PDB file of all heavy atoms in Angstrom:
ATOM      1  N   GLU A  26      -8.757  30.559  40.991  1.00  0.00           N
ATOM      2  CA  GLU A  26      -8.383  31.918  41.374  1.00  0.00           C
ATOM      3  C   GLU A  26      -8.295  32.784  40.127  1.00  0.00           C
ATOM      4  O   GLU A  26      -8.165  32.276  39.023  1.00  0.00           O
ATOM      5  CB  GLU A  26      -7.027  31.921  42.107  1.00  0.00           C
ATOM      6  CG  GLU A  26      -7.075  31.306  43.501  1.00  0.00           C
ATOM      7  CD  GLU A  26      -6.945  29.779  43.512  1.00  0.00           C
ATOM      8  OE1 GLU A  26      -6.603  29.196  42.464  1.00  0.00           O
ATOM      9  OE2 GLU A  26      -7.199  29.165  44.556  1.00  0.00           O
ATOM     10  N   GLU A  31      -2.174  34.327  42.093  1.00  0.00           N
ATOM     11  CA  GLU A  31      -3.072  34.093  43.233  1.00  0.00           C
ATOM     12  C   GLU A  31      -3.219  32.604  43.513  1.00  0.00           C
ATOM     13  O   GLU A  31      -3.290  32.193  44.674  1.00  0.00           O
ATOM     14  CB  GLU A  31      -4.441  34.716  42.969  1.00  0.00           C
ATOM     15  CG  GLU A  31      -4.440  36.226  43.047  1.00  0.00           C
ATOM     16  CD  GLU A  31      -5.787  36.834  42.669  1.00  0.00           C
ATOM     17  OE1 GLU A  31      -6.828  36.145  42.790  1.00  0.00           O
ATOM     18  OE2 GLU A  31      -5.793  38.006  42.252  1.00  0.00           O
ATOM     19  N   ALA A  32      -3.254  31.792  42.462  1.00  0.00           N
ATOM     20  CA  ALA A  32      -3.348  30.342  42.645  1.00  0.00           C
ATOM     21  C   ALA A  32      -2.106  29.823  43.372  1.00  0.00           C
ATOM     22  O   ALA A  32      -2.208  29.006  44.304  1.00  0.00           O
ATOM     23  CB  ALA A  32      -3.512  29.643  41.297  1.00  0.00           C
ATOM     24  N   GLN A  33      -0.933  30.288  42.968  1.00  0.00           N
ATOM     25  CA  GLN A  33       0.302  29.850  43.621  1.00  0.00           C
ATOM     26  C   GLN A  33       0.334  30.281  45.089  1.00  0.00           C
ATOM     27  O   GLN A  33       0.743  29.505  45.958  1.00  0.00           O
ATOM     28  CB  GLN A  33       1.536  30.380  42.881  1.00  0.00           C
ATOM     29  CG  GLN A  33       1.675  29.761  41.506  1.00  0.00           C
ATOM     30  CD  GLN A  33       3.057  29.902  40.938  1.00  0.00           C
ATOM     31  OE1 GLN A  33       3.910  29.099  41.278  1.00  0.00           O
ATOM     32  NE2 GLN A  33       3.276  30.892  40.088  1.00  0.00           N
ATOM     33  N   ALA A  34      -0.118  31.485  45.372  1.00  0.00           N
ATOM     34  CA  ALA A  34      -0.149  31.970  46.759  1.00  0.00           C
ATOM     35  C   ALA A  34      -1.120  31.131  47.591  1.00  0.00           C
ATOM     36  O   ALA A  34      -0.821  30.777  48.738  1.00  0.00           O
ATOM     37  CB  ALA A  34      -0.540  33.445  46.794  1.00  0.00           C
ATOM     38  N   ALA A  35      -2.270  30.795  47.009  1.00  0.00           N
ATOM     39  CA  ALA A  35      -3.260  29.979  47.729  1.00  0.00           C
ATOM     40  C   ALA A  35      -2.705  28.589  48.023  1.00  0.00           C
ATOM     41  O   ALA A  35      -2.908  28.042  49.119  1.00  0.00           O
ATOM     42  CB  ALA A  35      -4.550  29.896  46.917  1.00  0.00           C
ATOM     43  N   ILE A  36      -2.011  28.008  47.062  1.00  0.00           N
ATOM     44  CA  ILE A  36      -1.409  26.681  47.252  1.00  0.00           C
ATOM     45  C   ILE A  36      -0.379  26.728  48.383  1.00  0.00           C
ATOM     46  O   ILE A  36      -0.390  25.884  49.277  1.00  0.00           O
ATOM     47  CB  ILE A  36      -0.774  26.178  45.941  1.00  0.00           C
ATOM     48  CG1 ILE A  36      -1.874  25.826  44.929  1.00  0.00           C
ATOM     49  CG2 ILE A  36       0.138  24.978  46.202  1.00  0.00           C
ATOM     50  CD1 ILE A  36      -1.368  25.627  43.504  1.00  0.00           C
ATOM     51  N   ALA A  37       0.492  27.739  48.360  1.00  0.00           N
ATOM     52  CA  ALA A  37       1.507  27.867  49.409  1.00  0.00           C
ATOM     53  C   ALA A  37       0.856  28.035  50.773  1.00  0.00           C
ATOM     54  O   ALA A  37       1.291  27.428  51.765  1.00  0.00           O
ATOM     55  CB  ALA A  37       2.436  29.047  49.100  1.00  0.00           C
ATOM     56  N   ASP A  38      -0.209  28.824  50.819  1.00  0.00           N
ATOM     57  CA  ASP A  38      -0.925  29.048  52.073  1.00  0.00           C
ATOM     58  C   ASP A  38      -1.549  27.751  52.597  1.00  0.00           C
ATOM     59  O   ASP A  38      -1.428  27.419  53.776  1.00  0.00           O
ATOM     60  CB  ASP A  38      -1.994  30.125  51.867  1.00  0.00           C
ATOM     61  CG  ASP A  38      -2.650  30.530  53.159  1.00  0.00           C
ATOM     62  OD1 ASP A  38      -1.921  30.845  54.126  1.00  0.00           O
ATOM     63  OD2 ASP A  38      -3.901  30.529  53.219  1.00  0.00           O
ATOM     64  N   GLU A  39      -2.194  27.010  51.701  1.00  0.00           N
ATOM     65  CA  GLU A  39      -2.835  25.747  52.110  1.00  0.00           C
ATOM     66  C   GLU A  39      -1.811  24.744  52.638  1.00  0.00           C
ATOM     67  O   GLU A  39      -2.043  24.093  53.652  1.00  0.00           O
ATOM     68  CB  GLU A  39      -3.600  25.140  50.932  1.00  0.00           C
ATOM     69  CG  GLU A  39      -4.850  25.916  50.585  1.00  0.00           C
ATOM     70  CD  GLU A  39      -5.427  25.538  49.233  1.00  0.00           C
ATOM     71  OE1 GLU A  39      -5.054  24.487  48.674  1.00  0.00           O
ATOM     72  OE2 GLU A  39      -6.258  26.315  48.730  1.00  0.00           O
ATOM     73  N   PHE A  40      -0.691  24.617  51.950  1.00  0.00           N
ATOM     74  CA  PHE A  40       0.311  23.638  52.368  1.00  0.00           C
ATOM     75  C   PHE A  40       1.019  24.053  53.664  1.00  0.00           C
ATOM     76  O   PHE A  40       1.563  23.204  54.364  1.00  0.00           O
ATOM     77  CB  PHE A  40       1.319  23.365  51.245  1.00  0.00           C
ATOM     78  CG  PHE A  40       0.849  22.304  50.302  1.00  0.00           C
ATOM     79  CD1 PHE A  40      -0.062  22.595  49.302  1.00  0.00           C
ATOM     80  CD2 PHE A  40       1.292  20.997  50.424  1.00  0.00           C
ATOM     81  CE1 PHE A  40      -0.516  21.616  48.435  1.00  0.00           C
ATOM     82  CE2 PHE A  40       0.845  20.003  49.566  1.00  0.00           C
ATOM     83  CZ  PHE A  40      -0.059  20.310  48.567  1.00  0.00           C
ATOM     84  N   SER A  41       0.993  25.350  53.986  1.00  0.00           N
ATOM     85  CA  SER A  41       1.647  25.803  55.218  1.00  0.00           C
ATOM     86  C   SER A  41       0.927  25.308  56.467  1.00  0.00           C
ATOM     87  O   SER A  41       1.499  25.318  57.557  1.00  0.00           O
ATOM     88  CB  SER A  41       1.749  27.330  55.237  1.00  0.00           C
ATOM     89  OG  SER A  41       0.472  27.919  55.452  1.00  0.00           O
ATOM     90  N   TYR A  52      -2.768  15.274  51.659  1.00  0.00           N
ATOM     91  CA  TYR A  52      -3.490  16.381  51.039  1.00  0.00           C
ATOM     92  C   TYR A  52      -3.371  16.310  49.517  1.00  0.00           C
ATOM     93  O   TYR A  52      -4.356  16.529  48.798  1.00  0.00           O
ATOM     94  CB  TYR A  52      -2.972  17.721  51.570  1.00  0.00           C
ATOM     95  CG  TYR A  52      -3.766  18.910  51.095  1.00  0.00           C
ATOM     96  CD1 TYR A  52      -5.133  19.011  51.346  1.00  0.00           C
ATOM     97  CD2 TYR A  52      -3.165  19.939  50.388  1.00  0.00           C
ATOM     98  CE1 TYR A  52      -5.868  20.098  50.898  1.00  0.00           C
ATOM     99  CE2 TYR A  52      -3.881  21.042  49.947  1.00  0.00           C
ATOM    100  CZ  TYR A  52      -5.233  21.107  50.204  1.00  0.00           C
ATOM    101  OH  TYR A  52      -5.969  22.187  49.758  1.00  0.00           O
ATOM    102  N   TYR A 108      -3.420  18.148  39.759  1.00  0.00           N
ATOM    103  CA  TYR A 108      -4.388  19.117  40.263  1.00  0.00           C
ATOM    104  C   TYR A 108      -3.718  20.466  40.520  1.00  0.00           C
ATOM    105  O   TYR A 108      -4.239  21.509  40.118  1.00  0.00           O
ATOM    106  CB  TYR A 108      -5.052  18.591  41.540  1.00  0.00           C
ATOM    107  CG  TYR A 108      -6.132  19.505  42.064  1.00  0.00           C
ATOM    108  CD1 TYR A 108      -7.462  19.306  41.710  1.00  0.00           C
ATOM    109  CD2 TYR A 108      -5.824  20.587  42.893  1.00  0.00           C
ATOM    110  CE1 TYR A 108      -8.452  20.162  42.169  1.00  0.00           C
ATOM    111  CE2 TYR A 108      -6.805  21.436  43.356  1.00  0.00           C
ATOM    112  CZ  TYR A 108      -8.117  21.219  42.995  1.00  0.00           C
ATOM    113  OH  TYR A 108      -9.103  22.077  43.444  1.00  0.00           O
ATOM    114  N   LEU A 109      -2.557  20.445  41.176  1.00  0.00           N
ATOM    115  CA  LEU A 109      -1.864  21.703  41.469  1.00  0.00           C
ATOM    116  C   LEU A 109      -1.457  22.429  40.183  1.00  0.00           C
ATOM    117  O   LEU A 109      -1.641  23.645  40.072  1.00  0.00           O
ATOM    118  CB  LEU A 109      -0.630  21.441  42.336  1.00  0.00           C
ATOM    119  CG  LEU A 109      -0.898  20.942  43.758  1.00  0.00           C
ATOM    120  CD1 LEU A 109       0.424  20.683  44.474  1.00  0.00           C
ATOM    121  CD2 LEU A 109      -1.769  21.906  44.546  1.00  0.00           C
ATOM    122  N   ALA A 110      -0.912  21.702  39.229  1.00  0.00           N
ATOM    123  CA  ALA A 110      -0.495  22.329  37.969  1.00  0.00           C
ATOM    124  C   ALA A 110      -1.690  22.922  37.228  1.00  0.00           C
ATOM    125  O   ALA A 110      -1.614  24.042  36.704  1.00  0.00           O
ATOM    126  CB  ALA A 110       0.236  21.314  37.091  1.00  0.00           C
ATOM    127  N   ARG A 112      -4.463  23.878  38.558  1.00  0.00           N
ATOM    128  CA  ARG A 112      -4.962  25.015  39.335  1.00  0.00           C
ATOM    129  C   ARG A 112      -4.198  26.287  38.985  1.00  0.00           C
ATOM    130  O   ARG A 112      -4.771  27.368  38.908  1.00  0.00           O
ATOM    131  CB  ARG A 112      -4.837  24.710  40.824  1.00  0.00           C
ATOM    132  CG  ARG A 112      -5.401  25.797  41.721  1.00  0.00           C
ATOM    133  CD  ARG A 112      -5.452  25.336  43.142  1.00  0.00           C
ATOM    134  NE  ARG A 112      -5.871  26.392  44.023  1.00  0.00           N
ATOM    135  CZ  ARG A 112      -5.949  26.256  45.335  1.00  0.00           C
ATOM    136  NH1 ARG A 112      -5.655  25.101  45.900  1.00  0.00           N
ATOM    137  NH2 ARG A 112      -6.327  27.267  46.076  1.00  0.00           N
ATOM    138  N   VAL A 113      -2.914  26.166  38.763  1.00  0.00           N
ATOM    139  CA  VAL A 113      -2.095  27.337  38.432  1.00  0.00           C
ATOM    140  C   VAL A 113      -2.279  27.744  36.964  1.00  0.00           C
ATOM    141  O   VAL A 113      -2.404  28.935  36.661  1.00  0.00           O
ATOM    142  CB  VAL A 113      -0.602  27.069  38.741  1.00  0.00           C
ATOM    143  CG1 VAL A 113       0.286  28.208  38.220  1.00  0.00           C
ATOM    144  CG2 VAL A 113      -0.402  26.874  40.240  1.00  0.00           C
ATOM    145  N   TYR A 129       5.335  27.636  42.992  1.00  0.00           N
ATOM    146  CA  TYR A 129       4.683  26.860  44.049  1.00  0.00           C
ATOM    147  C   TYR A 129       5.436  25.566  44.357  1.00  0.00           C
ATOM    148  O   TYR A 129       5.397  25.073  45.482  1.00  0.00           O
ATOM    149  CB  TYR A 129       3.224  26.561  43.689  1.00  0.00           C
ATOM    150  CG  TYR A 129       3.041  25.530  42.606  1.00  0.00           C
ATOM    151  CD1 TYR A 129       2.837  24.196  42.924  1.00  0.00           C
ATOM    152  CD2 TYR A 129       3.068  25.880  41.255  1.00  0.00           C
ATOM    153  CE1 TYR A 129       2.669  23.231  41.931  1.00  0.00           C
ATOM    154  CE2 TYR A 129       2.901  24.937  40.271  1.00  0.00           C
ATOM    155  CZ  TYR A 129       2.703  23.615  40.611  1.00  0.00           C
ATOM    156  OH  TYR A 129       2.535  22.666  39.628  1.00  0.00           O
ATOM    157  N   ILE A 133       6.258  25.111  48.397  1.00  0.00           N
ATOM    158  CA  ILE A 133       5.667  24.111  49.297  1.00  0.00           C
ATOM    159  C   ILE A 133       6.614  22.943  49.571  1.00  0.00           C
ATOM    160  O   ILE A 133       6.263  22.006  50.262  1.00  0.00           O
ATOM    161  CB  ILE A 133       4.298  23.601  48.790  1.00  0.00           C
ATOM    162  CG1 ILE A 133       4.423  22.845  47.475  1.00  0.00           C
ATOM    163  CG2 ILE A 133       3.327  24.758  48.662  1.00  0.00           C
ATOM    164  CD1 ILE A 133       3.113  22.224  46.996  1.00  0.00           C
TER     165      ILE A 133
END
Side-chain angles (χ1 to χ4, degrees):
E26 290 84 11
E31 287 175 24
Q33 293 198 82
I36 289 167
D38 187 51
E39 289 166 16
F40 274 80
S41 72
Y52 186 58
Y108 184 94
L109 293 178
R112 183 171 175 183
V113 172
Y129 73 94
I133 65 175

